[in-house]
Amino acid sequence: MKLISPNNDVTLSIIVPVYNEVQMLPTFHHEVLKTLATLPNETFELVYVNDGSKDSSWLCMQSLSCPLSHCKIRCINLSRNFGKEAAMTAGLDHATGQAIIFLDADLQDPPELIPQMLEKWREGFDVVNMKRKQRVGESAFKKFSAFLYYRLLTRLSDVELQQDVGDFRLLSRRVVEAIKKLPERNRYMKGILSWPGFVQTTLSFDRQARVAGETKWSFLQLVGLGLSGITSFSVKPLRLATWAGGLVSLSAFCYAMFVVFKTLFIGESVAGYPTMMLVILMLGGLQLLAIGVVGEYIARIFTESKGRPIYIVMDNEVKVAQEQAVGELNHG
């Protein structure tokens, strides 16, 4: 068994973004340590990132201990809630492992798959994507909307994105170093994690329901995240707006020629008010839609131009465990 110290190389860093997960943290921590205990010849680092939780998640993180001599705990406390994407970025910036895995604290992504992911990494894969076969505990609407969104994003994105793959994945150190060079403030991590490329493989698993607590994502937040993904990795919406404008203009020109011809050679009464209103409303709607699409991109340019940091760290604590009996994990 390897005894970890601050100067030892860490095989794997597990990054855990946390927001109001005080109910889940003890259970999650215990389950992860049970898995890590089965890998005594590796060294591990648990990186907990508190994203401005309003409950006592930070105090709970500070109280976590590790009876494994080959594991250390790093607790990062952000100064406020910057969002999950920023918390994941903070984890990447502070993780020291040769491989990195993102894990949500709700245990929907099973920690027991970590050995399989490490095995694929040992085989030479830089990215191990975890594809969800089933989404247990989610509504039919959420499953259907997620199905449509991932396929729409794949069609629109200029970067090849894995369908039905969330944040749960393994990245090698050279992939992480490439990601850390990306300067953008508008962070859509699913796209950013896919952008570097490298040698990839995919494993499938069944995503379980939450053990405790409730999801922190509202419907509007999910919609906003979806729009962020599309506008961060594609300019096709702008092109679609251009093509739509051109098509409508061409149709209007043809209709105008028809009206002129009919008036000059056939005659035309004053009728046609409903048709005129329909055309005006349609054109107005398309114009507002196009302005909205342009506005999304301008807002991103505005955010990037300010150059503000993605996150601010208020506290950063590292716990290096002393060699103890692994059997402690079998209790509690």
Side-chain angles (χ1 to χ4, degrees):
M1 178 183 295
K2 295 181 181 180
L3 182 62
I4 197 168
S5 73
N7 298 320
N8 286 140
D9 289 334
V10 177
T11 304
L12 174 67
S13 294
I14 300 174
I15 299 174
V16 188
V18 176
Y19 180 68
N20 294 344
E21 293 286 3
V22 68
Q23 297 180 55
M24 279 299 307
L25 275 174
T27 303
F28 169 84
H29 188 69
H30 181 77
E31 292 299 317
V32 170
L33 291 184
K34 280 204 306 184
T35 298
L36 300 186
T38 65
L39 301 167
N41 295 321
E42 309 288 357
T43 54
F44 299 95
E45 175 186 51
L46 286 169
V47 182
Y48 288 100
V49 184
N50 180 42
D51 186 28
S53 297
K54 294 179 172 58
D55 60 8
S56 55
S57 292
W58 172 243
L59 295 177
C60 183
M61 289 163 57
Q62 290 177 297
S63 68
L64 297 176
S65 61
C66 181
L68 301 177
S69 59
H70 58 302
C71 177
K72 70 178 179 181
I73 301 174
R74 182 185 297 273
C75 298
I76 300 169
N77 189 26
L78 303 187
S79 60
R80 64 170 177 83
N81 178 237
F82 288 90
K84 184 181 178 182
E85 315 296 291
M88 294 171 64
T89 302
L92 283 177
D93 289 342
H94 289 82
T96 60
Q98 296 305 305
I100 285 87
I101 289 178
F102 289 102
L103 263 181
D104 287 342
D106 54 19
L107 285 178
Q108 289 186 281
D109 300 326
E112 54 266 26
L113 295 178
I114 291 175
Q116 297 180 39
M117 300 169 76
L118 278 175
E119 183 179 349
K120 289 295 181 182
W121 173 63
R122 295 284 189 197
E123 292 175 7
F125 292 101
D126 291 291
V127 180
V128 182
N129 299 303
M130 303 302 291
K131 185 174 183 178
R132 295 169 286 207
K133 293 188 298 183
Q134 300 289 333
R135 303 167 70 103
V136 181
E138 295 184 0
S139 65
F141 173 75
K142 187 172 182 179
K143 292 178 182 178
F144 180 69
S145 59
F147 174 85
L148 288 181
Y149 169 70
Y150 277 112
R151 279 141 190 86
L152 175 63
L153 183 60
T154 301
R155 285 294 186 93
L156 293 178
S157 177
D158 299 325
V159 178
E160 184 179 356
L161 301 177
Q162 295 290 330
Q163 294 185 4
D164 302 314
V165 174
D167 299 323
F168 183 35
R169 67 185 79 191
L170 179 145
L171 308 173
S172 69
R173 170 49 58 180
R174 63 175 179 172
V175 175
V176 172
E177 291 303 319
I179 291 173
K180 288 167 67 174
K181 294 177 182 178
L182 302 180
E184 62 242 50
R185 270 75 181 169
N186 294 291
R187 313 289 286 184
Y188 180 70
M189 293 304 292
K190 292 179 182 63
I192 288 176
L193 298 179
S194 301
W195 183 85
F198 291 96
V199 184
Q200 303 190 19
T201 188
T202 301
L203 301 177
S204 298
F205 74 104
D206 293 328
R207 196 164 198 250
Q208 302 302 314
R210 288 181 64 96
V211 177
E214 297 180 354
T215 179
K216 307 305 182 296
W217 291 92
S218 67
F219 176 74
L220 291 178
Q221 286 175 322
L222 290 174
V223 171
L225 183 64
L227 290 174
S228 176
I230 293 173
T231 54
S232 293
F233 287 89
S234 176
V235 295
K236 289 179 181 177
L238 290 173
R239 292 173 182 165
L240 288 174
T242 301
W243 280 103
L247 181 61
V248 170
S249 298
L250 179 61
S251 301
F253 177 78
C254 293
Y255 183 69
M257 292 298 99
F258 169 74
V259 170
V260 170
F261 177 84
K262 188 176 180 182
T263 302
L264 292 176
F265 297 98
I266 301 176
E268 180 67 28
S269 62
V270 185
Y273 177 77
T275 304
M276 186 62 68
M277 287 301 299
L278 179 62
V279 171
I280 291 174
L281 291 174
M282 183 183 69
L283 289 175
L286 285 174
Q287 289 173 342
L288 290 175
L289 179 62
I291 291 172
V293 171
V294 174
E296 285 287 334
Y297 286 92
I298 292 176
R300 296 190 170 279
I301 295 172
F302 175 66
T303 301
E304 295 292 338
S305 67
K306 289 184 289 189
R308 293 174 181 171
I310 300 170
Y311 61 87
I312 299 174
V313 175
M314 186 164 58
D315 301 291
N316 186 0
E317 299 182 7
V318 179
K319 301 178 183 179
V320 179
Q322 301 297 322
E323 191 165 12
Q324 299 179 34
V326 176
E328 293 183 30
L329 293 176
N330 297 323
H331 303 285

